[in-house]
Amino acid sequence: MKIFCVGRNYVEHAKELQNEVPDEPVIFMKPSTALLKKDEPLFYPDFTQDLQYEGEIVLKISKNGKKIQEKFADRYFDEISIGFDFTARDLQSKLKSKGLPWELAKSFDGAASVGNFVHKEKYLNEEGHLLFEIFKNDSVVQSGNTSKMLFSFSKIISFVSQYFTLQQGDLIYTGTPAGVGSLKIGDILTGFFADEVIISTVIK
Ligand code: MG
């Protein structure tokens, strides 16, 4: 099972981290050992002083495919969830400043939590978009709307499959909206579609 992530897929988030807005999807991967299931805690890693959350919609690939055309990409996933792309931001900044890969900052054990999966159409609004909200403790910290994505789910699937064979069960984290932030031990992150709790992750 592979985990793909899209970086800088929401303009407001790219700006909040002073990153350029990309003209094609920014893709990175996490190993399967990064996966943290719903309700499992994340233990604050000892190699960072600035663990941050990025709440994201996660697609589950439903059948194998490669070089998928964008117009057929919708056939390759049926279920979605919400997950957290956990990031050691201080370590990432250090690596980025040296032009080095991000894996140490984003692919460590537990760096990809994922919640319950629901059918992809369950929470579509009238315009065909998805809204999701992330709470840290009792406050809303991120409000996502897929209409604000630079690259659609279909575009992402098509793009990734030009390089990597997609296999049933692979996950794709589709990018985070603005509002990322730091965590401390004891924080509870909760992700919602409408009023359904999709994921809850405690930092221990
Ligand atoms: Mg992310």
Side-chain angles (χ1 to χ4, degrees):
M1 189 271 272
K2 304 189 288 303
I3 301 171
F4 297 97
C5 302
V6 184
R8 305 172 192 170
N9 201 24
Y10 290 79
V11 174
E12 294 305 317
H13 169 64
K15 286 184 183 164
E16 76 180 343
L17 295 185
Q18 279 97 48
N19 286 317
E20 281 177 27
V21 175
D23 53 15
E24 62 180 23
V26 175
I27 304 295
F28 59 96
M29 293 177 74
K30 303 195 187 215
S32 57
T33 44
L35 197 65
L36 194 68
K37 301 238 169 64
K38 181 173 185 275
D39 301 330
E40 284 182 336
L42 175 64
F43 292 93
Y44 199 113
D46 57 10
F47 49 75
T48 179
Q49 316 302 321
D50 191 15
L51 178 68
Q52 296 199 358
Y53 57 86
E54 298 185 359
E56 313 199 2
I57 294 178
V58 182
L59 316 181
K60 187 193 279 180
I61 296 298
S62 57
K63 60 178 182 177
N64 298 358
K66 61 197 301 184
K67 299 196 185 297
I68 299 163
Q69 290 182 53
E70 193 174 335
K71 64 183 174 185
F72 299 131
D74 194 52
R75 301 178 185 174
Y76 287 80
F77 75 105
D78 298 319
E79 293 184 309
I80 60 172
S81 183
I82 297 172
F84 293 103
D85 165 17
F86 287 110
T87 305
R89 192 71 70 197
D90 47 353
L91 188 51
Q92 187 197 26
S93 298
K94 196 167 105 184
L95 293 165
K96 274 168 68 178
S97 73
K98 295 180 182 173
L100 295 173
W102 289 342
E103 275 85 350
L104 294 178
K106 277 189 169 281
S107 304
F108 52 85
D109 289 355
S113 69
V114 69
N116 293 332
F117 282 86
V118 299
H119 191 271
K120 63 184 175 185
E121 289 174 359
K122 184 174 182 184
Y123 290 110
L124 286 181
N125 68 13
E126 286 168 2
E127 288 81 42
H129 297 298
L130 273 162
L131 276 60
F132 65 106
E133 280 195 321
I134 306 299
F135 278 68
K136 186 174 91 169
N137 304 321
D138 295 326
S139 308
V140 184
V141 286
Q142 294 188 282
S143 295
N145 182 333
T146 56
S147 70
K148 303 279 176 60
M149 292 193 307
L150 287 169
F151 305 106
S152 67
F153 295 161
S154 289
K155 174 68 188 178
I156 294 165
I157 287 170
S158 175
F159 183 84
V160 169
S161 76
Q162 304 306 308
Y163 299 83
F164 305 95
T165 299
L166 291 177
Q167 294 169 293
Q168 188 177 18
D170 287 350
L171 301 179
I172 302 180
Y173 285 65
T174 58
T176 198
V180 304
S182 302
L183 292 163
K184 58 183 190 325
I185 290 171
D187 283 339
I188 301 173
L189 292 164
T190 313
F192 289 84
F193 286 133
D195 54 8
E196 181 175 348
V197 174
I198 299 295
I199 185 167
S200 184
T201 303
V202 180
I203 311 303
K204 286 201 171 173

